[in-house]
PDB file of all heavy atoms in Angstrom:
ATOM      1  N   LEU J 774      62.721  87.098 138.532  1.00  0.00           N
ATOM      2  CA  LEU J 774      63.151  88.474 138.256  1.00  0.00           C
ATOM      3  C   LEU J 774      63.134  88.771 136.760  1.00  0.00           C
ATOM      4  O   LEU J 774      63.181  87.863 135.936  1.00  0.00           O
ATOM      5  CB  LEU J 774      64.575  88.687 138.765  1.00  0.00           C
ATOM      6  CG  LEU J 774      64.834  88.473 140.257  1.00  0.00           C
ATOM      7  CD1 LEU J 774      66.313  88.706 140.548  1.00  0.00           C
ATOM      8  CD2 LEU J 774      63.974  89.393 141.099  1.00  0.00           C
ATOM      9  N   THR J 775      63.086  90.066 136.442  1.00  0.00           N
ATOM     10  CA  THR J 775      63.323  90.467 135.050  1.00  0.00           C
ATOM     11  C   THR J 775      64.828  90.662 134.898  1.00  0.00           C
ATOM     12  O   THR J 775      65.569  90.670 135.889  1.00  0.00           O
ATOM     13  CB  THR J 775      62.627  91.802 134.716  1.00  0.00           C
ATOM     14  OG1 THR J 775      63.198  92.818 135.547  1.00  0.00           O
ATOM     15  CG2 THR J 775      61.127  91.725 134.948  1.00  0.00           C
ATOM     16  N   LEU J 776      65.268  90.840 133.657  1.00  0.00           N
ATOM     17  CA  LEU J 776      66.697  91.013 133.414  1.00  0.00           C
ATOM     18  C   LEU J 776      67.206  92.279 134.111  1.00  0.00           C
ATOM     19  O   LEU J 776      68.301  92.297 134.671  1.00  0.00           O
ATOM     20  CB  LEU J 776      66.961  91.066 131.902  1.00  0.00           C
ATOM     21  CG  LEU J 776      68.423  91.138 131.478  1.00  0.00           C
ATOM     22  CD1 LEU J 776      69.239  89.993 132.050  1.00  0.00           C
ATOM     23  CD2 LEU J 776      68.526  91.140 129.952  1.00  0.00           C
ATOM     24  N   GLN J 777      66.386  93.346 134.083  1.00  0.00           N
ATOM     25  CA  GLN J 777      66.760  94.594 134.743  1.00  0.00           C
ATOM     26  C   GLN J 777      66.989  94.366 136.244  1.00  0.00           C
ATOM     27  O   GLN J 777      67.994  94.799 136.816  1.00  0.00           O
ATOM     28  CB  GLN J 777      65.647  95.639 134.535  1.00  0.00           C
ATOM     29  CG  GLN J 777      65.882  96.970 135.235  1.00  0.00           C
ATOM     30  CD  GLN J 777      66.989  97.781 134.577  1.00  0.00           C
ATOM     31  OE1 GLN J 777      67.023  97.951 133.351  1.00  0.00           O
ATOM     32  NE2 GLN J 777      67.917  98.279 135.376  1.00  0.00           N
ATOM     33  N   GLU J 778      66.050  93.644 136.874  1.00  0.00           N
ATOM     34  CA  GLU J 778      66.169  93.377 138.320  1.00  0.00           C
ATOM     35  C   GLU J 778      67.390  92.509 138.614  1.00  0.00           C
ATOM     36  O   GLU J 778      68.090  92.707 139.603  1.00  0.00           O
ATOM     37  CB  GLU J 778      64.898  92.680 138.827  1.00  0.00           C
ATOM     38  CG  GLU J 778      63.684  93.604 138.855  1.00  0.00           C
ATOM     39  CD  GLU J 778      62.351  92.850 138.947  1.00  0.00           C
ATOM     40  OE1 GLU J 778      62.304  91.646 138.626  1.00  0.00           O
ATOM     41  OE2 GLU J 778      61.358  93.485 139.328  1.00  0.00           O
ATOM     42  N   MET J 779      67.619  91.574 137.707  1.00  0.00           N
ATOM     43  CA  MET J 779      68.788  90.693 137.861  1.00  0.00           C
ATOM     44  C   MET J 779      70.077  91.505 137.801  1.00  0.00           C
ATOM     45  O   MET J 779      71.002  91.310 138.593  1.00  0.00           O
ATOM     46  CB  MET J 779      68.765  89.646 136.737  1.00  0.00           C
ATOM     47  CG  MET J 779      69.754  88.533 136.916  1.00  0.00           C
ATOM     48  SD  MET J 779      69.321  87.507 138.319  1.00  0.00           S
ATOM     49  CE  MET J 779      70.937  86.962 138.806  1.00  0.00           C
ATOM     50  N   LYS J 780      70.115  92.408 136.844  1.00  0.00           N
ATOM     51  CA  LYS J 780      71.301  93.265 136.706  1.00  0.00           C
ATOM     52  C   LYS J 780      71.552  94.069 137.963  1.00  0.00           C
ATOM     53  O   LYS J 780      72.680  94.156 138.460  1.00  0.00           O
ATOM     54  CB  LYS J 780      71.141  94.202 135.510  1.00  0.00           C
ATOM     55  CG  LYS J 780      72.377  95.001 135.205  1.00  0.00           C
ATOM     56  CD  LYS J 780      72.099  96.432 134.814  1.00  0.00           C
ATOM     57  CE  LYS J 780      71.840  97.293 136.024  1.00  0.00           C
ATOM     58  NZ  LYS J 780      72.229  98.685 135.874  1.00  0.00           N
ATOM     59  N   ASN J 781      70.467  94.643 138.509  1.00  0.00           N
ATOM     60  CA  ASN J 781      70.611  95.459 139.718  1.00  0.00           C
ATOM     61  C   ASN J 781      71.200  94.644 140.873  1.00  0.00           C
ATOM     62  O   ASN J 781      71.922  95.172 141.718  1.00  0.00           O
ATOM     63  CB  ASN J 781      69.255  96.037 140.135  1.00  0.00           C
ATOM     64  CG  ASN J 781      68.743  97.047 139.116  1.00  0.00           C
ATOM     65  OD1 ASN J 781      69.517  97.579 138.311  1.00  0.00           O
ATOM     66  ND2 ASN J 781      67.437  97.287 139.119  1.00  0.00           N
ATOM     67  N   LEU J 782      70.851  93.363 140.881  1.00  0.00           N
ATOM     68  CA  LEU J 782      71.327  92.482 141.938  1.00  0.00           C
ATOM     69  C   LEU J 782      72.816  92.137 141.757  1.00  0.00           C
ATOM     70  O   LEU J 782      73.577  92.055 142.711  1.00  0.00           O
ATOM     71  CB  LEU J 782      70.500  91.186 141.884  1.00  0.00           C
ATOM     72  CG  LEU J 782      70.408  90.340 143.124  1.00  0.00           C
ATOM     73  CD1 LEU J 782      69.568  91.051 144.178  1.00  0.00           C
ATOM     74  CD2 LEU J 782      69.769  88.981 142.782  1.00  0.00           C
ATOM     75  N   ILE J 783      73.207  91.944 140.507  1.00  0.00           N
ATOM     76  CA  ILE J 783      74.571  91.469 140.212  1.00  0.00           C
ATOM     77  C   ILE J 783      75.592  92.600 140.207  1.00  0.00           C
ATOM     78  O   ILE J 783      76.714  92.449 140.692  1.00  0.00           O
ATOM     79  CB  ILE J 783      74.590  90.750 138.839  1.00  0.00           C
ATOM     80  CG1 ILE J 783      73.888  89.398 138.959  1.00  0.00           C
ATOM     81  CG2 ILE J 783      76.000  90.553 138.335  1.00  0.00           C
ATOM     82  CD1 ILE J 783      73.714  88.684 137.644  1.00  0.00           C
ATOM     83  N   GLN J 784      75.157  93.743 139.683  1.00  0.00           N
ATOM     84  CA  GLN J 784      76.058  94.879 139.472  1.00  0.00           C
ATOM     85  C   GLN J 784      77.000  95.185 140.648  1.00  0.00           C
ATOM     86  O   GLN J 784      78.202  95.348 140.443  1.00  0.00           O
ATOM     87  CB  GLN J 784      75.207  96.104 139.117  1.00  0.00           C
ATOM     88  CG  GLN J 784      76.011  97.342 138.814  1.00  0.00           C
ATOM     89  CD  GLN J 784      75.103  98.498 138.411  1.00  0.00           C
ATOM     90  OE1 GLN J 784      73.887  98.337 138.280  1.00  0.00           O
ATOM     91  NE2 GLN J 784      75.701  99.645 138.216  1.00  0.00           N
ATOM     92  N   PRO J 785      76.470  95.270 141.913  1.00  0.00           N
ATOM     93  CA  PRO J 785      77.351  95.659 143.026  1.00  0.00           C
ATOM     94  C   PRO J 785      78.478  94.663 143.308  1.00  0.00           C
ATOM     95  O   PRO J 785      79.472  95.021 143.943  1.00  0.00           O
ATOM     96  CB  PRO J 785      76.404  95.715 144.239  1.00  0.00           C
ATOM     97  CG  PRO J 785      75.031  95.671 143.685  1.00  0.00           C
ATOM     98  CD  PRO J 785      75.085  95.044 142.355  1.00  0.00           C
ATOM     99  N   VAL J 786      78.305  93.426 142.824  1.00  0.00           N
ATOM    100  CA  VAL J 786      79.319  92.402 143.098  1.00  0.00           C
ATOM    101  C   VAL J 786      80.618  92.705 142.342  1.00  0.00           C
ATOM    102  O   VAL J 786      81.705  92.397 142.805  1.00  0.00           O
ATOM    103  CB  VAL J 786      78.787  91.007 142.680  1.00  0.00           C
ATOM    104  CG1 VAL J 786      79.842  89.936 142.901  1.00  0.00           C
ATOM    105  CG2 VAL J 786      77.507  90.680 143.435  1.00  0.00           C
ATOM    106  N   TYR J 787      80.473  93.323 141.174  1.00  0.00           N
ATOM    107  CA  TYR J 787      81.634  93.502 140.317  1.00  0.00           C
ATOM    108  C   TYR J 787      82.168  94.932 140.349  1.00  0.00           C
ATOM    109  O   TYR J 787      81.435  95.893 140.097  1.00  0.00           O
ATOM    110  CB  TYR J 787      81.302  93.115 138.875  1.00  0.00           C
ATOM    111  CG  TYR J 787      81.052  91.631 138.737  1.00  0.00           C
ATOM    112  CD1 TYR J 787      79.769  91.128 138.607  1.00  0.00           C
ATOM    113  CD2 TYR J 787      82.122  90.741 138.766  1.00  0.00           C
ATOM    114  CE1 TYR J 787      79.545  89.765 138.493  1.00  0.00           C
ATOM    115  CE2 TYR J 787      81.910  89.372 138.662  1.00  0.00           C
ATOM    116  CZ  TYR J 787      80.626  88.887 138.526  1.00  0.00           C
ATOM    117  OH  TYR J 787      80.415  87.542 138.424  1.00  0.00           O
TER     118      TYR J 787
END
Side-chain angles (χ1 to χ4, degrees):
Chain J
L774 300 179
T775 63
L776 184 56
Q777 177 72 48
E778 289 163 340
M779 191 68 209
K780 187 220 80 150
N781 293 341
L782 203 70
I783 288 174
Q784 182 177 355
V786 178
Y787 292 104

